[in-house]
Structures are given as C-alpha cells and as structure tokens.
Amino acid sequence: CAAGANKPVLTLFTKKPCPLCDEAKEVLEPYKRRFILQEVDITLPENSAWYEKYKYDIPVFHLNGKFLMKHRVDIQKFEDRLRKAELQS
C-alpha cells in the first residue's frame, strides 16, 4: 500500500515479557492508523547494541529513527512529534 510509505515509523524497543510495553501499546492504540509500529526485541543477538543501551529502560520509543520517550508514553509529546512528522512527510 503506497499510503503506508509516508507514515511515520514508531520503533518500540522491547523484550518478552514486557508488561510496560504492552501497556504502552494499549495507550497508543487509538493512534495506530497514523504510524507504522516496528518492534525491536533487544534480547536477540543482532540487537545486542540496543540491549546494552536500553536493557534497564524499556519500553523505549524512537520516531523516524530519533529518540522519543522511554518507560511510559508521554501522550502530549507523542502527539506533538507525530503531528510534526506527518507534516514533514
């Protein structure tokens, strides 16, 4: 779908299990049509650099490759940055 190509990409750095990540995804549920969610399991060998960086901080979110927030969803910040990203695409 060509429409999806211009959507901002929200990257969630996570691991299993991650109750806080599940909670964060629920908070973001109403927005899910506005971004592409990409989940990165930091426990996988190929993601060891992210594991070292974020092992005590998940969930961590990046929007279009830039750090956005960690631990909890800051909905104000998320809405603001998502709107800006949508305007740029």
Side-chain angles (χ1 to χ4, degrees):
C1 166
N6 292 331
K7 284 187 191 171
V9 176
L10 185 69
T11 307
L12 165 59
F13 293 90
T14 184
K15 66 182 183 188
K16 302 261 184 279
C18 177
L20 283 177
C21 301
D22 297 336
E23 198 178 290
K25 285 193 277 189
E26 276 176 38
V27 172
L28 295 170
E29 185 69 20
Y31 300 92
K32 74 175 190 210
R33 285 190 168 81
R34 294 173 59 193
F35 62 84
I36 296 162
L37 181 66
Q38 186 179 47
E39 292 189 42
V40 175
D41 183 338
I42 64 169
T43 62
L44 297 176
E46 64 268 26
N47 296 328
S48 61
W50 293 117
Y51 179 79
E52 286 309 311
K53 193 168 185 172
Y54 292 141
K55 61 185 166 192
Y56 303 119
D57 289 320
I58 60 166
V60 175
F61 292 93
H62 285 195
L63 186 62
N64 286 342
K66 291 195 182 89
F67 176 81
L68 178 61
M69 55 195 170
K70 64 183 180 183
H71 303 156
R72 295 246 181 278
V73 172
D74 176 339
I75 212 68
Q76 246 350 96
K77 185 178 195 179
F78 173 73
E79 280 184 2
D80 185 48
R81 292 274 299 274
L82 181 63
R83 203 170 14 252
K84 282 183 182 146
E86 288 170 333
L87 291 171
Q88 285 168 357
S89 67

